[in-house]
Structures are given as C-alpha cells and as structure tokens.
Amino acid sequence: MKRILIVEDEPNLADGLEMNLTAEGYEVAVAENGNAALELIERMSFDLALVDVMMPGMDGFSLCKKIRKTSHLPIIFLTARSQDEDKIKGLALGGDDYLTKPFNLGELLQRITSIFRRMSWESASETGRKILTFADSELNLETLKATGPGGETFLSHREAMALKFLYERRGQSVSRDMLLDGVWGYRAYPSTRTVDNFILRLRKIFESDPANPTVIKSIRGVGYMLDA
Amino acid sequence: MKRILIVEDEPNLADGLEMNLTAEGYEVAVAENGNAALELIERMSFDLALVDVMMPGMDGFSLCKKIRKTSHLPIIFLTARSQDEDKIKGLALGGDDYLTKPFNLGELLQRITSIFRRMSWESASETGRKILTFADSELNLETLKATGPGGETFLSHREAMALKFLYERRGQSVSRDMLLDGVWGYRAYPSTRTVDNFILRLRKIFESDPANPTVIKSIRGVGYMLDA
DNA sequence: CTATTTTGCCACACTATTTTCACACACCGC
DNA sequence: GCGGTGTGTGAAAATAGTGTGGCAAAATAG
C-alpha cells in the first residue's frame, strides 16, 4: 500500500484530503507544518508528499529543499491561485507536480496515480538480470518465454513469478504459504491446491520426467524446492 | 564531468534547473538570453544546451541556428505550449530533443542521459536515423509514411511515437503504463484502453495477420513487445 | 498393515485481460 | 460553422489465466 504524507496547516483541508485519500486506499499521515513533516519522514518512509506552499514557519519550497537533501520523495505542491506562478513552476522542478487551489479531487487523484505510474517503471527497469538459468532450463523474464526439457512455452505472469520466487531461494525449501505470500500477496486467499497446480504446470516444462521431479522437488510436509 | 548550458530568461526556472542539475552532478552555466549564451559558448565548451524557446530578444530557434553554424552541440528545447510542436519537430530530428512546460525533473534527467548515451555510442555513424525498419515493415519518421504487410499509410504523430517507443525497446516487453508515460507524457491521463487502440491500429498496418500478431506481440498481464 | 495426511493431477467453472468496435469529442483549416 | 482527421472512451466479445473440488496415489505414522 502506498503511503502519502500531507503537509498542510489548514485543518479542514487536511482532514478532507486525509479522508478522501484514505478512502482511495492510500495510507495517509498528516503533518501540520514543515518541521513535523521532516520528523515524520525520518521515522517512516513515504511514497509521495502533498505539500502546501503557504504555511507558517517553513514554507513548502524550503521544506522541499530539505527533503531533497536526503531523498527523491516525489512532491506535489498545493498552492493558492494568485501567487506567482512562475516561481512555483520553477521550484516545482525539484518536486514533481503542483496544483493550484481550489483543485478538484479527481485531478489530484489523477496526478497521484500518474506519479506512481512513472515511479513504478523507472525503478523496475534496473531490476537486475532478465534471464534465469537453472538445470537445463531458462526463463526470460522480459518476454516470459521458457525453455526446458518439456519444450518451449510462454509462461503466464503468475507462473513466472512463482518460478522466480523459487529461483531466488533455490536450494532452500519454500512452503506453500511462503509462495502464497510472496507470489499472490498477503491479501489473497487461494487454497494451497492452487500452488500445487502451478508447480504441476512448471514441472511439465522444466522437468524431463515430470512424474519424478528432480528440478522442482517436493519436500513432504514442507513445500517445494528448486534444485541449486 | 558533463557541462550543461541553460539558456532561460526566467530567473526562478533557471535557478530551479541549475540547482537540480548541479545536484545530479553536472556542471551548469546559466545564460539569460541568446547573446549571453553565444558568448559563453565561445569561451568554454559545453556538452549540452537547455534552451527556452520563448525569450525576449533572440528566440530559441534563432539561437539554435547560430549555434549550429559553429558546432553540433546537442540542444534540448524547453517550450511553453504545443503550438510550436511542428516547428520543433523539424529541429528535434538532428538528435536533439524538446520538452513542453511544465515538465518534471525526472523526465528532463532522462532525456539528458539519453542524449549523452546516444552521443557516446553512435558518435560517428547513425546520428538521427529517420527510417525505422523491422520485420517486413518500415516507418519514415520524417514523412510518417508507414509501409507494411497491411499496405501503405501515413501514421498520425502519436501513432508514430508509439511505434518508435516500441522500436527503441524491441525485444523488451513494454507495459501500457510505460507507453502512457513515454508517448503521452506524465501529465496525460488517458486510459490504458487507449493504448490498446493504438496497438490495434498499428497491427493493421504492420501485421500480415493482425488477429495473430507476430511482430507486435501481446504479453498477457504485462504489455506489448516489438519483435527483435 | 491400516489409517491418516499430504501431494499429484484433471476437468471445469469462473475471472481477468485483451481485442475489437462504434461512437463522441476536440481541434484545425477552410 | 462545417467536415475531416486524430484521439480517447465504454461496452461487448473473444481469449487466456486462475482457482476449486474431487479423487487417486504416495508417503508417513501408529
């Protein structure tokens, strides 16, 4: 779940934002001034900050500069309409976006999703190796093409995740519950039979004799293990 | 260390840029108008120029022409609106680039590194290929004329951008969100359905059997991929 | 050896994603 | 304003992926 920090001194606006963002499924924290915000940022990590430009004490821009010294936390500035827009535009470069009050909720939500969208693939591109190799098999994580004794196929997204999960722990036994958490997510409740099923399908591709698995081994009472 | 020249008359924007680029490890100089820029260029060498199109006195385009007389310094144009887009498109083909304000820092940095990368690895030969060739198809980026199994047509600007985006990543899967960010821009909020639509149209031209795509492949749950 | 638990495997229902279509709408040059 | 083009949307149809239940087979415990 994404965490958003609201830095806003006007309680009604802060409350409204908090309510609405929470309703959208974000985890929200509120700081009513710059110092409180910095403290919160030190204590926990956020994915995005909504910062009012005009605040007593430290203004939004100063806060931005301080935040930037230690992190690249994306920032959306909130600013009253009549202020010098050029200044905002210039400084907004250090952040990621800005909105002028009064803004409507839909627009804010769109900007937020847009920023998350952007972040998600900027970080995704560096995620290391794109081809897993093991036993006589390989899996291209980019195209999801799998090659093994059982031939050549394209895995589904989830099949690939499951294999990757095992691959990252090869040589260790992995319980079905671990797979469910890691691949399906902690909020999903498929049965453990489902896991067996995915293993079954993976074996058809990666085992030369799927009935006597040597690559994706069963460990009775525990789970599965990818051979090291 | 790479040296970047900022040509921007609006002090706050210039400051913001300078701050951020310096923080990214570039050496930055600022000129507040075209003449100052030319003087600076004479005195020292730069690796890249960021040029505001709209400036009092000499505008960005004129400046570009003058710079071009003596060097091949890559230029990124900063432009307020998309009205100038047609004009810019012509100039941008020389390996340069442009950004429409307001843009965010991440986007700018990405363009900068991409220009440096391009320079280092193709300095001699293919500076500015204007025709993309793949499978049995081709696309002329200047005329936007596309030729493929589906016949010959002229693509719209966005269609061409989408194809180019895929082309630059052929062999890699590209998610709809990546396309939205890369082709539509971070401030655009069309749905991912829109992406599907463009793919649909592209397939009609570049696939011999659009219903069974082999060139622009779907990767279910992930996105699309142009065959390498 | 038998009872019990765990795993393998299949077929099928059900979900989710993608494709495709028809249409709305904005924008541009006339 | 009036078409024409280019873009974006929503909804239905097509397709691929996922989860479930059942039962058989294998492993373990007693």
Side-chain angles (χ1 to χ4, degrees):
Chain A
M1 186 195 288
K2 299 285 185 186
R3 261 206 285 228
I4 297 179
L5 173 63
I6 299 173
V7 190
E8 169 64 64
D9 62 303
E10 209 273 288
N12 289 318
L13 181 52
D15 281 3
L17 283 172
E18 184 181 8
M19 250 176 51
N20 281 297
L21 292 177
T22 307
E24 287 295 318
Y26 297 109
E27 200 177 321
V28 180
V30 178
E32 58 182 22
N33 60 59
N35 288 317
L38 287 171
E39 265 175 50
L40 272 172
I41 288 173
E42 244 174 67
R43 274 197 282 121
M44 54 205 284
S45 74
F46 291 94
D47 302 292
L48 176 71
L50 250 51
V51 176
D52 192 353
V53 170
M54 207 111 77
M55 286 184 299
M58 192 189 310
D59 73 14
F61 296 134
S62 317
L63 175 61
C64 170
K65 277 183 196 161
K66 293 205 174 162
I67 291 176
R68 277 283 171 283
K69 280 189 182 148
T70 56
S71 80
H72 277 73
L73 178 66
I75 295 175
I76 296 182
F77 289 108
L78 306 177
T79 158
R81 182 171 44 79
S82 57
Q83 284 171 273
D84 181 359
E85 277 210 16
D86 286 335
K87 186 177 181 187
I88 292 156
K89 278 182 201 165
L91 290 170
L93 279 171
D96 286 83
D97 215 332
Y98 67 93
L99 279 173
T100 48
K101 298 190 226 174
F103 50 87
N104 73 353
L105 188 66
E107 189 165 8
L108 175 61
L109 293 175
Q110 286 186 321
R111 304 266 172 120
I112 290 174
T113 52
S114 156
I115 282 185
F116 284 150
R117 200 169 72 195
R118 160 164 288 274
M119 282 180 2
S120 73
W121 69 271
E122 275 179 358
S123 61
S125 57
E126 11 152 313
T127 319
R129 267 171 59 196
K130 305 239 156 63
I131 296 183
L132 310 182
T133 323
F134 56 97
D136 300 322
S137 310
E138 60 172 57
L139 169 63
N140 184 329
L141 288 176
E142 194 71 60
T143 60
L144 303 189
K145 182 171 159 189
T147 317
E152 231 179 76
T153 345
F154 288 90
L155 298 190
S156 75
H157 193 42
R158 194 150 284 185
E159 285 165 345
M161 303 235 316
L163 183 65
K164 180 161 167 256
F165 193 85
L166 289 169
Y167 178 87
E168 284 163 351
R169 291 160 185 73
R170 80 210 107 124
Q172 300 168 45
S173 57
V174 175
S175 74
R176 284 165 236 279
D177 283 341
M178 281 168 71
L179 277 161
L180 281 176
D181 277 351
V183 176
W184 277 260
Y186 65 104
R187 195 105 225 170
Y189 297 107
S191 79
T192 57
R193 216 97 315 279
T194 300
V195 177
D196 297 345
N197 245 295
F198 276 81
I199 297 293
L200 174 65
R201 276 179 262 159
L202 291 177
R203 279 181 177 159
K204 283 193 177 149
I205 300 158
F206 298 116
E207 295 283 356
S208 43
D209 177 11
N212 292 67
T214 60
V215 180
I216 305 176
K217 293 176 178 162
S218 295
I219 300 177
R220 193 185 176 77
V222 183
Y224 299 98
M225 186 181 97
L226 187 69
D227 202 42
Chain B
M1 187 195 286
K2 300 285 185 186
R3 257 203 290 227
I4 297 178
L5 173 63
I6 298 172
V7 190
E8 168 64 63
D9 62 302
E10 207 276 292
N12 287 311
L13 181 52
D15 282 0
L17 283 171
E18 185 181 7
M19 218 179 72
N20 283 294
L21 291 178
T22 306
E24 287 294 320
Y26 297 109
E27 200 178 319
V28 180
V30 178
E32 60 182 21
N33 59 57
N35 289 317
L38 287 171
E39 265 175 50
L40 272 173
I41 288 174
E42 243 175 67
R43 275 196 280 123
M44 54 204 284
S45 74
F46 292 94
D47 302 293
L48 176 70
L50 251 50
V51 175
D52 192 352
V53 170
M54 209 112 75
M55 286 184 299
M58 192 189 311
D59 74 13
F61 296 131
S62 319
L63 176 60
C64 172
K65 276 183 203 158
K66 293 204 174 162
I67 292 176
R68 279 279 175 282
K69 280 187 183 151
T70 57
S71 80
H72 285 80
L73 179 65
I75 295 176
I76 294 182
F77 290 106
L78 307 178
T79 162
R81 283 252 150 265
S82 48
Q83 302 145 344
D84 309 316
E85 264 196 35
D86 289 333
K87 208 171 179 182
I88 288 169
K89 261 187 273 166
L91 290 165
L93 282 172
D96 300 331
D97 210 338
Y98 71 96
L99 281 171
T100 319
K101 296 191 236 177
F103 49 87
N104 81 347
L105 187 67
E107 193 169 1
L108 175 62
L109 293 174
Q110 223 171 282
R111 306 270 175 117
I112 290 175
T113 51
S114 124
I115 280 191
F116 284 149
R117 207 171 37 222
R118 224 188 307 168
M119 275 171 25
S120 69
W121 118 165
E122 63 175 39
S123 50
S125 63
E126 60 170 329
T127 318
R129 269 178 71 186
K130 294 184 177 115
I131 297 183
L132 310 182
T133 324
F134 56 96
D136 301 321
S137 310
E138 60 172 57
L139 169 63
N140 185 327
L141 285 177
E142 269 195 333
T143 61
L144 301 190
K145 181 171 159 190
T147 317
E152 232 179 75
T153 345
F154 289 89
L155 297 190
S156 74
H157 190 221
R158 221 181 269 279
E159 284 165 345
M161 302 245 306
L163 184 66
K164 181 161 165 254
F165 192 85
L166 288 169
Y167 179 86
E168 283 162 353
R169 291 161 185 73
R170 78 210 107 123
Q172 296 170 49
S173 57
V174 175
S175 74
R176 291 177 174 70
D177 281 344
M178 284 167 71
L179 278 160
L180 279 176
D181 277 340
V183 176
W184 277 259
Y186 87 108
R187 243 173 213 274
Y189 315 104
S191 75
T192 56
R193 226 73 354 272
T194 301
V195 177
D196 299 343
N197 246 289
F198 277 79
I199 297 292
L200 174 65
R201 278 179 259 158
L202 292 177
R203 293 223 255 237
K204 284 197 177 141
I205 300 159
F206 298 115
E207 295 282 356
S208 43
D209 176 11
N212 292 65
T214 58
V215 180
I216 305 176
K217 291 177 180 162
S218 296
I219 301 178
R220 180 172 267 260
V222 182
Y224 298 99
M225 185 183 98
L226 188 68
D227 203 41

